Amino acid sequence: VAHLVGLIRKVLVDLRPVRRFREPSSAITLFEARVEGDEVQGTLFEQYDGKGALVDAMLTVRPYAGLRAAMRAMQALMERSPLPGAES
């Protein structure tokens, strides 16, 4: 997971949180960023266990053109730096 998050940080640049909603078991962060020069908006939904450890996360990016650009950028990064333990 840490490897993927590191790659996503390279794709979503100039990330600016706009609003954050938090409760003990979950958090939602609305953000704006750039992907290959295009402005995008997104949502990060996080779920936590009873001890506060992250157990699930979901990232959405819009508009569709920005999502496609992010997918292309992630594909290129993952080809250069595959997941640890992934077979080529």
Side-chain angles (χ1 to χ4, degrees), residues 4-82:
L4 284 174
V5 170
L7 296 179
I8 291 168
R9 288 178 141 185
K10 292 178 181 180
V11 172
L12 295 174
V13 296
D14 296 332
L15 188 85
R16 300 170 305 279
V18 174
R19 191 147 188 201
R20 183 165 170 88
F21 304 93
R22 180 81 159 96
E23 56 184 42
S25 63
S26 63
I28 298 173
T29 304
L30 307 176
F31 65 87
E32 295 174 345
R34 284 186 309 105
V35 174
E36 297 182 352
D38 292 329
E39 291 291 322
V40 297
Q41 301 85 39
T43 303
L44 175 62
F45 177 70
E46 303 161 279
Q47 288 186 296
Y48 301 94
D49 66 14
K51 296 178 183 177
L54 182 67
V55 294
D56 192 32
M58 179 177 61
L59 177 69
T60 62
V61 174
R62 65 173 296 275
Y64 183 68
L67 172 62
R68 296 288 298 165
M71 290 168 61
R72 283 190 303 273
M74 280 296 291
Q75 180 179 3
L77 288 173
M78 293 204 56
E79 286 172 356
R80 289 194 306 265
S81 179

